[in-house]
Amino acid sequence: MKGPLGKKVATPKKFDPKVLFPISRTEQRKGVFDKTDINNIKGDDVWNIHELLWIDKKNNSHHKELSIRLNCTSKNTVESKSMKLFLGSLVYRQFKNISDVKKVIKRHIGAVTKSKIKIGKIYTKQDAAECEIKIPSKVKPLTESSYTACKRKNFKTYVFKAFRSLCPVTNQPDIADIYLVADLNSQNKRDISEYLGSFFEKNGFHERCVEEIFLELKRKKYFIKSIEGYFERRGGIAIIPRRYSV
């Protein structure tokens, strides 16, 4: 069974958690992870929900912004369009308060992903030193870093703006800012700039792109603590995969 992404799907006219469609992380990671990689990273996927509507017991409507956080070790993630359809269907059920809304969201997404779900405030972008992304004329592998950091590494937050990849289902562009907490010299930044530019015509879900970048930087001996891919929102939902070294 295929999910609703890339298809014309009717908006639910009743509360319908069955529209949630799981995507296996194992399948998503094929060709990126080896058997030991999953033990060397941690992190989560933050879903910023900007257009959550819910109805109370007096039939009053409410607008809430919140974030849904899913651990990267979960068995499944959720297809983005099915998430939008599920959240949109909440208006066909009445709730006592926002706490009840959150409980329902956590229960149904947790059941699909086989993982505990956290709900919190909207996640915002960090302050960071800006770096450009260069689109290479010819795609080539990331150069191994020759930078030898001092014993006490000088970690800073960098943001490589205007990253682009392509949705593997619709082939539409996904735009993001890529945040790195890292110790980088000037040559590192130039090499990373071109490496990120190599995704310009590459297909990949948000989570896969971020994990692929993080693991490749680690394999090529860059001093990286963490990565965040802050993808622009669609349909009121922004997805921010975050990964860290163990």
mmCIF file with all atom_site columns, all heavy atoms in Angstrom, residues 78-90:
data_model
loop_
_atom_site.group_PDB
_atom_site.id
_atom_site.type_symbol
_atom_site.label_atom_id
_atom_site.label_alt_id
_atom_site.label_comp_id
_atom_site.label_asym_id
_atom_site.label_entity_id
_atom_site.label_seq_id
_atom_site.pdbx_PDB_ins_code
_atom_site.Cartn_x
_atom_site.Cartn_y
_atom_site.Cartn_z
_atom_site.occupancy
_atom_site.B_iso_or_equiv
_atom_site.pdbx_formal_charge
_atom_site.auth_seq_id
_atom_site.auth_comp_id
_atom_site.auth_asym_id
_atom_site.auth_atom_id
_atom_site.pdbx_PDB_model_num
ATOM 1  N N   . VAL A 1 78 ? 6.404   9.179  9.769  1.00 0.00 ? 78 VAL A N   1
ATOM 2  C CA  . VAL A 1 78 ? 5.072   9.353  9.193  1.00 0.00 ? 78 VAL A CA  1
ATOM 3  C C   . VAL A 1 78 ? 5.189   10.130 7.888  1.00 0.00 ? 78 VAL A C   1
ATOM 4  O O   . VAL A 1 78 ? 5.921   11.122 7.809  1.00 0.00 ? 78 VAL A O   1
ATOM 5  C CB  . VAL A 1 78 ? 4.137   10.122 10.168 1.00 0.00 ? 78 VAL A CB  1
ATOM 6  C CG1 . VAL A 1 78 ? 2.751   10.278 9.556  1.00 0.00 ? 78 VAL A CG1 1
ATOM 7  C CG2 . VAL A 1 78 ? 4.045   9.396  11.499 1.00 0.00 ? 78 VAL A CG2 1
ATOM 8  N N   . GLU A 1 79 ? 4.480   9.680  6.882  1.00 0.00 ? 79 GLU A N   1
ATOM 9  C CA  . GLU A 1 79 ? 4.450   10.417 5.626  1.00 0.00 ? 79 GLU A CA  1
ATOM 10 C C   . GLU A 1 79 ? 3.811   11.785 5.871  1.00 0.00 ? 79 GLU A C   1
ATOM 11 O O   . GLU A 1 79 ? 2.782   11.892 6.545  1.00 0.00 ? 79 GLU A O   1
ATOM 12 C CB  . GLU A 1 79 ? 3.657   9.638  4.583  1.00 0.00 ? 79 GLU A CB  1
ATOM 13 C CG  . GLU A 1 79 ? 3.789   10.205 3.186  1.00 0.00 ? 79 GLU A CG  1
ATOM 14 C CD  . GLU A 1 79 ? 2.932   9.456  2.197  1.00 0.00 ? 79 GLU A CD  1
ATOM 15 O OE1 . GLU A 1 79 ? 1.698   9.607  2.266  1.00 0.00 ? 79 GLU A OE1 1
ATOM 16 O OE2 . GLU A 1 79 ? 3.486   8.733  1.353  1.00 0.00 ? 79 GLU A OE2 1
ATOM 17 N N   . SER A 1 80 ? 4.421   12.827 5.337  1.00 0.00 ? 80 SER A N   1
ATOM 18 C CA  . SER A 1 80 ? 4.025   14.198 5.689  1.00 0.00 ? 80 SER A CA  1
ATOM 19 C C   . SER A 1 80 ? 2.584   14.536 5.301  1.00 0.00 ? 80 SER A C   1
ATOM 20 O O   . SER A 1 80 ? 1.866   15.188 6.067  1.00 0.00 ? 80 SER A O   1
ATOM 21 C CB  . SER A 1 80 ? 4.989   15.192 5.045  1.00 0.00 ? 80 SER A CB  1
ATOM 22 O OG  . SER A 1 80 ? 5.023   15.033 3.641  1.00 0.00 ? 80 SER A OG  1
ATOM 23 N N   . LYS A 1 81 ? 2.155   14.109 4.124  1.00 0.00 ? 81 LYS A N   1
ATOM 24 C CA  . LYS A 1 81 ? 0.785   14.447 3.714  1.00 0.00 ? 81 LYS A CA  1
ATOM 25 C C   . LYS A 1 81 ? -0.236  13.735 4.593  1.00 0.00 ? 81 LYS A C   1
ATOM 26 O O   . LYS A 1 81 ? -1.276  14.312 4.937  1.00 0.00 ? 81 LYS A O   1
ATOM 27 C CB  . LYS A 1 81 ? 0.553   14.090 2.246  1.00 0.00 ? 81 LYS A CB  1
ATOM 28 C CG  . LYS A 1 81 ? -0.787  14.598 1.720  1.00 0.00 ? 81 LYS A CG  1
ATOM 29 C CD  . LYS A 1 81 ? -0.890  14.440 0.221  1.00 0.00 ? 81 LYS A CD  1
ATOM 30 C CE  . LYS A 1 81 ? -2.200  15.010 -0.294 1.00 0.00 ? 81 LYS A CE  1
ATOM 31 N NZ  . LYS A 1 81 ? -2.291  14.920 -1.781 1.00 0.00 ? 81 LYS A NZ  1
ATOM 32 N N   . SER A 1 82 ? 0.069   12.508 4.995  1.00 0.00 ? 82 SER A N   1
ATOM 33 C CA  . SER A 1 82 ? -0.865  11.786 5.866  1.00 0.00 ? 82 SER A CA  1
ATOM 34 C C   . SER A 1 82 ? -0.937  12.445 7.244  1.00 0.00 ? 82 SER A C   1
ATOM 35 O O   . SER A 1 82 ? -1.985  12.445 7.887  1.00 0.00 ? 82 SER A O   1
ATOM 36 C CB  . SER A 1 82 ? -0.463  10.311 5.986  1.00 0.00 ? 82 SER A CB  1
ATOM 37 O OG  . SER A 1 82 ? 0.631   10.117 6.858  1.00 0.00 ? 82 SER A OG  1
ATOM 38 N N   . MET A 1 83 ? 0.186   13.032 7.697  1.00 0.00 ? 83 MET A N   1
ATOM 39 C CA  . MET A 1 83 ? 0.186   13.772 8.957  1.00 0.00 ? 83 MET A CA  1
ATOM 40 C C   . MET A 1 83 ? -0.750  14.980 8.845  1.00 0.00 ? 83 MET A C   1
ATOM 41 O O   . MET A 1 83 ? -1.552  15.256 9.752  1.00 0.00 ? 83 MET A O   1
ATOM 42 C CB  . MET A 1 83 ? 1.600   14.235 9.300  1.00 0.00 ? 83 MET A CB  1
ATOM 43 C CG  . MET A 1 83 ? 1.688   15.098 10.554 1.00 0.00 ? 83 MET A CG  1
ATOM 44 S SD  . MET A 1 83 ? 1.538   14.182 12.088 1.00 0.00 ? 83 MET A SD  1
ATOM 45 C CE  . MET A 1 83 ? 3.267   13.691 12.309 1.00 0.00 ? 83 MET A CE  1
ATOM 46 N N   . LYS A 1 84 ? -0.665  15.703 7.745  1.00 0.00 ? 84 LYS A N   1
ATOM 47 C CA  . LYS A 1 84 ? -1.523  16.867 7.539  1.00 0.00 ? 84 LYS A CA  1
ATOM 48 C C   . LYS A 1 84 ? -2.997  16.464 7.528  1.00 0.00 ? 84 LYS A C   1
ATOM 49 O O   . LYS A 1 84 ? -3.849  17.130 8.132  1.00 0.00 ? 84 LYS A O   1
ATOM 50 C CB  . LYS A 1 84 ? -1.152  17.559 6.222  1.00 0.00 ? 84 LYS A CB  1
ATOM 51 C CG  . LYS A 1 84 ? -2.005  18.775 5.911  1.00 0.00 ? 84 LYS A CG  1
ATOM 52 C CD  . LYS A 1 84 ? -1.643  19.379 4.568  1.00 0.00 ? 84 LYS A CD  1
ATOM 53 C CE  . LYS A 1 84 ? -2.577  20.545 4.246  1.00 0.00 ? 84 LYS A CE  1
ATOM 54 N NZ  . LYS A 1 84 ? -2.285  21.145 2.921  1.00 0.00 ? 84 LYS A NZ  1
ATOM 55 N N   . LEU A 1 85 ? -3.315  15.354 6.846  1.00 0.00 ? 85 LEU A N   1
ATOM 56 C CA  . LEU A 1 85 ? -4.704  14.892 6.777  1.00 0.00 ? 85 LEU A CA  1
ATOM 57 C C   . LEU A 1 85 ? -5.219  14.485 8.161  1.00 0.00 ? 85 LEU A C   1
ATOM 58 O O   . LEU A 1 85 ? -6.356  14.799 8.530  1.00 0.00 ? 85 LEU A O   1
ATOM 59 C CB  . LEU A 1 85 ? -4.816  13.714 5.809  1.00 0.00 ? 85 LEU A CB  1
ATOM 60 C CG  . LEU A 1 85 ? -4.562  14.030 4.326  1.00 0.00 ? 85 LEU A CG  1
ATOM 61 C CD1 . LEU A 1 85 ? -4.474  12.745 3.520  1.00 0.00 ? 85 LEU A CD1 1
ATOM 62 C CD2 . LEU A 1 85 ? -5.649  14.939 3.770  1.00 0.00 ? 85 LEU A CD2 1
ATOM 63 N N   . PHE A 1 86 ? -4.387  13.797 8.919  1.00 0.00 ? 86 PHE A N   1
ATOM 64 C CA  . PHE A 1 86 ? -4.771  13.384 10.274 1.00 0.00 ? 86 PHE A CA  1
ATOM 65 C C   . PHE A 1 86 ? -5.032  14.595 11.161 1.00 0.00 ? 86 PHE A C   1
ATOM 66 O O   . PHE A 1 86 ? -6.071  14.688 11.832 1.00 0.00 ? 86 PHE A O   1
ATOM 67 C CB  . PHE A 1 86 ? -3.679  12.508 10.888 1.00 0.00 ? 86 PHE A CB  1
ATOM 68 C CG  . PHE A 1 86 ? -3.783  12.362 12.374 1.00 0.00 ? 86 PHE A CG  1
ATOM 69 C CD1 . PHE A 1 86 ? -4.860  11.705 12.965 1.00 0.00 ? 86 PHE A CD1 1
ATOM 70 C CD2 . PHE A 1 86 ? -2.805  12.891 13.210 1.00 0.00 ? 86 PHE A CD2 1
ATOM 71 C CE1 . PHE A 1 86 ? -4.961  11.583 14.348 1.00 0.00 ? 86 PHE A CE1 1
ATOM 72 C CE2 . PHE A 1 86 ? -2.891  12.769 14.585 1.00 0.00 ? 86 PHE A CE2 1
ATOM 73 C CZ  . PHE A 1 86 ? -3.971  12.116 15.163 1.00 0.00 ? 86 PHE A CZ  1
ATOM 74 N N   . LEU A 1 87 ? -4.093  15.547 11.175 1.00 0.00 ? 87 LEU A N   1
ATOM 75 C CA  . LEU A 1 87 ? -4.253  16.724 12.028 1.00 0.00 ? 87 LEU A CA  1
ATOM 76 C C   . LEU A 1 87 ? -5.460  17.554 11.595 1.00 0.00 ? 87 LEU A C   1
ATOM 77 O O   . LEU A 1 87 ? -6.174  18.112 12.432 1.00 0.00 ? 87 LEU A O   1
ATOM 78 C CB  . LEU A 1 87 ? -2.976  17.574 11.994 1.00 0.00 ? 87 LEU A CB  1
ATOM 79 C CG  . LEU A 1 87 ? -1.736  16.923 12.611 1.00 0.00 ? 87 LEU A CG  1
ATOM 80 C CD1 . LEU A 1 87 ? -0.506  17.794 12.386 1.00 0.00 ? 87 LEU A CD1 1
ATOM 81 C CD2 . LEU A 1 87 ? -1.926  16.646 14.105 1.00 0.00 ? 87 LEU A CD2 1
ATOM 82 N N   . GLY A 1 88 ? -5.698  17.610 10.294 1.00 0.00 ? 88 GLY A N   1
ATOM 83 C CA  . GLY A 1 88 ? -6.867  18.334 9.804  1.00 0.00 ? 88 GLY A CA  1
ATOM 84 C C   . GLY A 1 88 ? -8.177  17.700 10.237 1.00 0.00 ? 88 GLY A C   1
ATOM 85 O O   . GLY A 1 88 ? -9.187  18.392 10.418 1.00 0.00 ? 88 GLY A O   1
ATOM 86 N N   . SER A 1 89 ? -8.160  16.378 10.424 1.00 0.00 ? 89 SER A N   1
ATOM 87 C CA  . SER A 1 89 ? -9.393  15.682 10.812 1.00 0.00 ? 89 SER A CA  1
ATOM 88 C C   . SER A 1 89 ? -9.759  15.874 12.284 1.00 0.00 ? 89 SER A C   1
ATOM 89 O O   . SER A 1 89 ? -10.860 15.500 12.704 1.00 0.00 ? 89 SER A O   1
ATOM 90 C CB  . SER A 1 89 ? -9.260  14.185 10.500 1.00 0.00 ? 89 SER A CB  1
ATOM 91 O OG  . SER A 1 89 ? -8.502  13.500 11.481 1.00 0.00 ? 89 SER A OG  1
ATOM 92 N N   . LEU A 1 90 ? -8.868  16.473 13.065 1.00 0.00 ? 90 LEU A N   1
ATOM 93 C CA  . LEU A 1 90 ? -9.153  16.712 14.488 1.00 0.00 ? 90 LEU A CA  1
ATOM 94 C C   . LEU A 1 90 ? -10.366 17.620 14.687 1.00 0.00 ? 90 LEU A C   1
ATOM 95 O O   . LEU A 1 90 ? -11.015 17.571 15.740 1.00 0.00 ? 90 LEU A O   1
ATOM 96 C CB  . LEU A 1 90 ? -7.936  17.329 15.179 1.00 0.00 ? 90 LEU A CB  1
ATOM 97 C CG  . LEU A 1 90 ? -6.723  16.421 15.382 1.00 0.00 ? 90 LEU A CG  1
ATOM 98 C CD1 . LEU A 1 90 ? -5.522  17.248 15.836 1.00 0.00 ? 90 LEU A CD1 1
ATOM 99 C CD2 . LEU A 1 90 ? -7.009  15.319 16.395 1.00 0.00 ? 90 LEU A CD2 1
#
